[in-house]
Each structure stands twice: as C-alpha cells, then as structure tokens.
C-alpha cells in the first residue's frame, strides 16, 4: 500500500483480492440533490427490498423518526436532531416526529409533522414550506390509518411511536432483516460518502502543514473542522479526536488546550459528513515532522497491519479473519520490537496482543459511523484473543468498512496485576514500563467491498512519511 493514489485508474482484469486506492470517479462524486430522480428510485428500491425481506402477510410496520432531545436544564434548547437510521434509510428525511407506515396490502404511507408558521419564524430553512411535502400525510391522519387496521399485529422500528404497542419478537425479526438490506451501499449512498470523503481529505491535507510544537489539540480541531465545512461537509460525522502525546493512549480522546510537545506524536481521528453519510479517517503524525526511532518502528508495524487487513477485505472473507490478520502483524511487530516474546498465534490467543491492540479492527460505515453492522445469527464466540467485535459476518460486495489497526500503551490496562502474572513469560514488562508515556498509533481507512476485492475510499488521504 502506498500513500499516493491514482485517480480514476481502471484495471482491465483485477486480480482476486485487488485493492483500488483511487479517489473520486468521474460522474460519481457529485452527490445527490433534492429532486434527483436517482434518490426517488433508490428509495423505491430500498422499500421494495425491505418488504421482500420481511415477507409479511397481514402484519403492520411503523418506523419512527424520533423527536428532538432536550438538553437537561436548558429550557427549550435541544440537541441537534438526527432521524433514526432506519427511518432515514427508507425516507431520506431528517424531519422529527415522522412515522413511515407499511401495510403489505396497501404499501407505504408516510406521515409527517406539518411545518408551522412558528417553526418557519424560529428555525426556517430554504427547503421548508408550510404544511407537509407532496406525497405525504399529516401526522394527525395516523390514528385513522391505525383504526382502519385495528386488531392486526404491529411491529415498531426506528424509535418508539407514542401510544403504540408492538411485539418485541416481531420487532427483532424485522429489524434484523432490514439491517441485512441496509448493509450493501447503493449509488446514492456511495455518492454521498464520496462527497464526505473529499471534504475529509481536504481537511487532513490542510491540517498536516499546521502540526507543530506548541500548537494545541484544540487549535488543530478548529482548523480541521472548518476545512471540512469549507470543502462541502454539512456536518461532522462524529466528535473530532485530536490526541497528542500520552493522550493518544485514550481511544476517543476529546481535544484540550494542551500544546503539543517536541518528540510527541498526535493521533487525529475525524471525518466530515454529507447528507447523513460519513467518512471516518485516522492518521498519526510526528509533531516535530520526523518520527523518533521507536516511533518509526511501531508506525511501520501499524501501517503494515493496515495494508494486510485491507488486502484481506474481499467478498466472502470473514470480518473476524480480517481482525486476526491485523493482530498477527502487530504481534510479529511487537516481537521484533522486543515487547513480546513467542509465536504470533500463541500471543494472540493468550491475549497478549489485545493489551496493545484492544479494539476490533473496524466497523461498518456509511449512514453514520456506526452503520448496519452486527453479528450474524448463530455465530459462536470468535475464540480466545479477540476483543469485542462490532461486526462478525462475511463481507459482501457493497459493504463499506473501516479498517483501523493500532498499537497503544494504555497505563490502566498495562498495570493490571493479573495480566502481568499470566503473561510474565510473554511480555517484557520492564520495557513496557519505560513506554507508558508513549501514547499510541492508529491508522484508519474506509474500504468498499467490490466484486474483485475492495476499493479504498480514503486512499487519497496521505499517510505520514
């Protein structure tokens, strides 16, 4: 894997396991706009696929958008509204208070909260108009819709709908089926993800030149996020992580006013979002511009793990095996570094590797950074050595995954007396004790599973040299 990308490069006959690190492709990166017939066509396809997966005969389904959540003690102030992902996937609508209803006989009916004049006064936006959008019904008509179908079983997806009860078992079955439908990304979703990626790439390119001794984590956060928005993102995909020095041993560290110091590294995990769809990138940089010898050696190990795990992403590959590939590269690297002793497989199964790589290798990404993942039904535990995995299933074309191996020196984990006793022969604890202020290294790309292997969606975000 190289840092440079070749935009628009097409190979006539990709080899199995082929990895495409290209950037945006012609005609794909423009994104989807309101009124685009492609969006309407994909919504119809998604609903048809959901109905087919459910296979209902007489049961009803209600999918709730959710309501704004008040900020405690702040009167009428609410957190930014996010429609439930199941609702958004089937409606492409972020408006609160809505319900999408499905009757297998009559099809789909969308009930929305009408836009009021007061709302236009206080929070009006360009796309808002008084009343309800064409093709939808006001929420006041939902009770009559339900009364006409009284006595039939009902499932609730999305968020709870006030006053409606459902069968938990039916809810679970239909949610599982819908999650399977949602996993493969369609052309509208991918176009939005590519827009988000381009904004994210621009932010990282601008940020690398700003990293220097004395600059604070907060300053880097501000510049990065501003660039995301300037370059097309309409939201942050998640709270930005900027972690310098020992802070990088905290996986989701919130930036502070602490200035970066000479000889440190800084981990930056961030992403822009476009119309609900996310990019999620992590890079690790030397603050002074050059890695110290130990930093360079471990950075190379993480980079090799990223490359190996990405190469393992192909149709039919088990996600647990992708994690194992990354973990074994890290095990071998830590043996060469002198932290671990023994064979890589044994070190992995005994949990020695998990002390330094304590999270799963990644998760699904798309509609938010925790998209439709989960564990395939009937799965047994992946076995000794694995951390908790957000995803445990075989990869299929259209799945979008993060791949994010790392090596960390986390004092609370490494101070555990049980681990020190059980792994006394496998870990050079005196060497570990000398590195408790090292922090950590993480590298993360987003990959799209293709028929031939995978495409690295974030391959044009350079890695540190």
């Amino acid at each position: 894997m190289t840092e440079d990308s070749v935009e628009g490069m097409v190979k006539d006959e990709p080899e199995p396991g082929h990895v495409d690190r290209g950037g945006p492709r012609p005609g794909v990166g423009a994104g989807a706009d309101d009124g685009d017939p492609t969006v309407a066509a994909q919504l119809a396809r998604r609903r048809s696929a959901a109905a087919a997966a459910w296979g209902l005969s007489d049961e009803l389904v209600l999918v709730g958008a959710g309501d704004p959540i008040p900020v405690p003690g702040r009167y009428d102030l609410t957190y930014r509204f996010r429609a439930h992902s199941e609702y958004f996937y089937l409606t492409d609508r972020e408006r609160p208070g809505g319900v999408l209803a499905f009757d297998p006989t009559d099809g789909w009916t969308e009930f929305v909260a009408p836009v009021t004049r007061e709302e236009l006064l206080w929070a009006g936006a360009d796309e808002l108009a008084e009343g309800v959008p064409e093709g939808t019904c006001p929420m006041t008509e939902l009770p009559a819709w339900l009364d006409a179908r009284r006595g039939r079983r009902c499932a609730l997806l999305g968020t709870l709908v006030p006053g409606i009860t459902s069968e938990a078992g039916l809810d679970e079955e239909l949610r599982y089926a819908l999650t399977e439908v949602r996993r493969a990304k369609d052309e509208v979703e991918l176009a939005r993800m590519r827009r988000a990626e381009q904004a994210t790439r621009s932010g990282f390119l601008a940020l690398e030149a700003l990293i220097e001794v004395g600059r604070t984590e907060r300053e880097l956060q501000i510049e990065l996020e501003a660039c995301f928005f300037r370059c097309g993102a309409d939201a942050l995909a998640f709270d930005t992580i900027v972690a310098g020095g020992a802070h990088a041993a905290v996986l989701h560290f919130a930036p502070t006013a602490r200035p970066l110091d000479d000889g440190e590294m800084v981990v930056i995990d961030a992403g822009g979002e476009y119309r609900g769809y996310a990019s999620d990138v992590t890079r690790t940089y030397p603050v002074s511009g050059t890695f110290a010898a130990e930093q360079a050696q471990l950075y190379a190990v993480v980079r090799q793990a990223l490359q190996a795990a990405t190469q393992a992403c192909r149709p039919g590959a088990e996600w647990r095996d992708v994690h194992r590939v990354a973990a074994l590269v890290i095990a071998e690297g830590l043996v060469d570094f002198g932290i671990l002793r023994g064979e890589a497989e044994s070190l992995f199964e005994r949990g020695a590797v998990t002390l330094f790589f304590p999270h799963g290798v990644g998760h699904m990404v798309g509609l938010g950074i925790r998209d439709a993942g989960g564990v395939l039904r009937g799965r047994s535990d992946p076995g000794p050595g694995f951390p908790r995995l957000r995803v445990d299933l075989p990869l299929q074309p259209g799945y979008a995954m993060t791949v994010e191996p790392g090596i960390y020196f986390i004092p609370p984990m490494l101070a555990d007396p049980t681990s020190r006793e059980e792994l006394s022969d496998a870990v050079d604890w005196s060497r570990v004790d000398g590195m408790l202020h090292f922090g950590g290294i993480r590298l993360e790309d987003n990959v799209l599973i293709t028929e031939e292997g995978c495409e690295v969606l974030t391959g044009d975000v350079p890695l540190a040299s």
Side-chain angles (χ1 to χ4, degrees), residues 11 17 34 59 66 112 135 149 159 190 233 248 296 310 357 371 391 398 404 427:
K11 295 187 177 180
D34 286 330
E59 300 87 345
V112 299
R149 295 160 178 81
T159 64
L190 288 173
T310 301
F357 177 30
D371 205 359
V391 178
E404 48 184 308
V427 180

Side-chain angles (χ1 to χ4, degrees), residues 284 295-309 326 329-330 333 356 404-408 440-444 463:
T284 301
Q295 294 171 347
Q297 186 174 350
L298 292 181
Y299 182 91
V301 173
V302 176
R303 185 168 177 169
Q304 183 183 357
L306 174 66
Q307 181 176 359
V329 170
I330 289 172
F356 304 94
E404 48 184 308
I407 293 175
Y408 316 83
I441 299 167
R442 182 165 68 252
L443 299 174
E444 177 184 18
L463 298 167

Side-chain angles (χ1 to χ4, degrees), residues 49-381:
W54 292 335
L56 301 175
S57 57
D58 188 55
E59 300 87 345
L60 308 175
V61 183
L62 300 181
V63 187
D67 293 298
I69 299 174
V71 178
R74 304 297 173 89
Y75 297 94
D76 59 354
L77 186 66
T78 63
Y79 293 103
R80 180 191 172 198
F81 177 74
R82 296 273 194 165
H84 194 286
S85 293
E86 292 167 346
Y87 176 87
F88 187 87
Y89 179 77
L90 294 169
T91 65
D92 202 45
R93 203 181 300 282
E94 281 282 16
R95 184 156 179 76
V99 174
L100 179 65
F102 177 69
D103 179 331
T105 301
D106 301 327
W108 301 85
T109 305
E110 189 175 354
F111 298 92
V112 299
V115 176
T116 64
R117 291 181 184 179
E118 183 178 15
E119 182 178 357
L120 291 173
L121 169 65
W122 289 100
D126 289 342
E127 67 273 13
L128 287 182
E130 193 171 353
V132 300
E134 184 179 352
T136 68
C137 302
M139 277 296 296
T140 53
E141 295 182 11
L142 177 60
W145 188 93
L146 291 169
D147 284 342
R149 295 160 178 81
R150 187 181 300 275
R152 293 164 62 177
R153 298 172 68 200
C154 182
L156 284 179
L157 299 182
T159 64
L160 296 177
V161 178
I164 305 298
T165 58
S166 66
E167 298 182 20
L170 182 59
D171 295 350
E172 181 182 353
E173 289 296 321
L174 300 193
R175 172 163 286 123
Y176 186 86
L178 180 58
T179 298
E180 287 189 320
V181 169
R182 290 179 50 213
R183 286 186 181 128
K185 301 298 122 192
D186 61 40
E187 60 180 291
V188 169
E189 294 180 293
L190 288 173
R192 293 177 181 181
M193 291 175 69
R194 293 180 195 278
R195 281 283 293 268
E197 190 278 333
Q198 284 299 286
T200 301
R201 172 182 182 270
S202 297
F204 273 89
L205 289 176
L207 188 72
E208 189 170 4
L210 300 176
I211 297 172
E212 61 184 3
V213 174
R215 197 171 301 269
T216 68
E217 296 166 336
R218 180 74 70 193
E219 287 178 280
L220 294 180
Q221 174 197 11
I222 292 167
E223 296 300 326
L224 181 66
E225 293 177 357
C227 194
F228 287 171
F229 288 112
R230 279 196 298 266
C231 296
D234 57 23
L236 298 177
F238 54 96
D239 290 341
T240 298
I241 298 164
V242 181
H247 289 170
V250 180
L251 301 183
H252 290 171
F253 188 82
T256 70
R258 175 190 177 276
L260 303 178
D261 202 358
D262 188 35
E264 292 182 340
M265 296 179 294
V266 58
V267 171
I268 300 174
D269 186 341
E273 181 178 285
Y274 179 72
R275 300 204 45 160
Y277 285 82
S279 184
D280 184 0
V281 173
T282 305
R283 296 293 185 258
T284 301
Y285 304 101
V287 171
S288 60
T290 304
F291 288 115
E294 286 186 334
Q295 294 171 347
Q297 186 174 350
L298 292 181
Y299 182 91
V301 173
V302 176
R303 185 168 177 169
Q304 183 183 357
L306 174 66
Q307 181 176 359
T310 301
Q311 192 69 37
C313 291
R314 59 187 182 274
E318 292 286 348
W319 187 244
R320 59 173 65 178
D321 292 338
V322 176
H323 178 89
R324 179 187 286 271
V325 165
L328 293 179
V329 170
I330 289 172
E332 293 169 356
L334 290 176
V335 169
D336 292 341
F337 188 74
I339 288 286
L340 296 182
R341 311 185 192 98
E343 296 296 323
E345 285 281 359
S346 174
L347 290 168
F348 173 72
E349 292 179 1
R350 293 180 63 188
V353 179
T354 307
L355 288 174
F356 304 94
F357 177 30
H359 57 78
V361 73
H363 49 82
M364 285 191 161
V365 64
L367 183 48
I369 58 160
R370 295 286 187 268
D371 205 359
V375 177
L376 202 65
R377 280 184 173 167
R379 283 278 152 123
S380 59
D381 186 272

